Amino acid sequence: MVKLQPIDVSLKVNSFQYVEPGEYDSIDEEKHFIVANVTITNKSRKSYDYNPYDFKLNVNGNNTDFYAYPDAVKNLLDSGTLDKGASVTGNLATEIKQGATNPKLKLNVNVLDNSKNITFSLK
């Protein structure tokens, strides 16, 4: 779990998994989906806006948006606003090459006009 200052928001990666494409998923043959389940909690006195496009999948320096909507994955994280003390849990999904090593989940946080990246290794 990471605490972001000064907005006082915590981010927890609960789990991740690889998901094979379903019958109606359109995906290249050499790829499958990677799905990360995350929880965002607003511990500040202000509201906090979240968006799945704040997250990236980093594999060997290549950053990809979490843009996929696999048939088999439910509870995909959408954008929204958390009030003081509120939290949200959801899944982020994107494509990844089979056999890719050391994937990382990156969160881009804009705090007082200074962009910061927080990175979690998905192991």
Side-chain angles (χ1 to χ4, degrees):
M1 185 176 345
V2 174
K3 192 174 178 181
L4 309 174
Q5 295 291 341
I7 55 175
D8 205 12
V9 172
S10 70
L11 171 68
K12 180 179 178 187
V13 177
N14 302 308
S15 64
F16 87 97
Q17 65 180 336
Y18 296 99
V19 176
E20 294 304 318
E23 179 181 357
Y24 300 107
D25 290 323
S26 177
I27 189 171
D28 292 338
E29 276 188 38
E30 70 275 358
K31 292 184 177 183
H32 50 191
F33 296 108
I34 188 169
V35 179
N37 182 271
V38 300
T39 299
I40 305 167
T41 303
N42 183 2
K43 297 183 176 185
S44 72
R45 289 182 248 146
K46 298 179 180 181
S47 62
Y48 174 71
D49 295 328
Y50 63 91
N51 190 316
Y53 291 107
D54 294 337
F55 294 87
K56 303 284 185 201
L57 175 69
N58 180 283
V59 178
N60 299 322
N62 183 20
N63 294 293
T64 305
D65 287 326
F66 280 89
Y67 63 88
Y69 300 92
D71 287 339
V73 178
K74 305 299 180 224
N75 194 28
L76 290 168
L77 188 69
D78 204 355
S79 60
T81 302
L82 292 174
D83 290 337
K84 172 186 170 183
S87 65
V88 63
T89 298
N91 292 313
L92 299 164
T94 193
E95 298 177 12
I96 188 171
K97 285 186 179 181
Q98 293 179 12
T101 57
N102 199 22
K104 296 175 182 147
L105 173 70
K106 290 176 71 173
L107 171 61
N108 181 36
V109 181
N110 294 321
V111 180
L112 302 176
D113 297 323
N114 293 325
S115 265
K116 296 184 178 185
N117 287 314
I118 298 167
T119 304
F120 290 88
S121 289
L122 301 176
K123 297 181 181 179

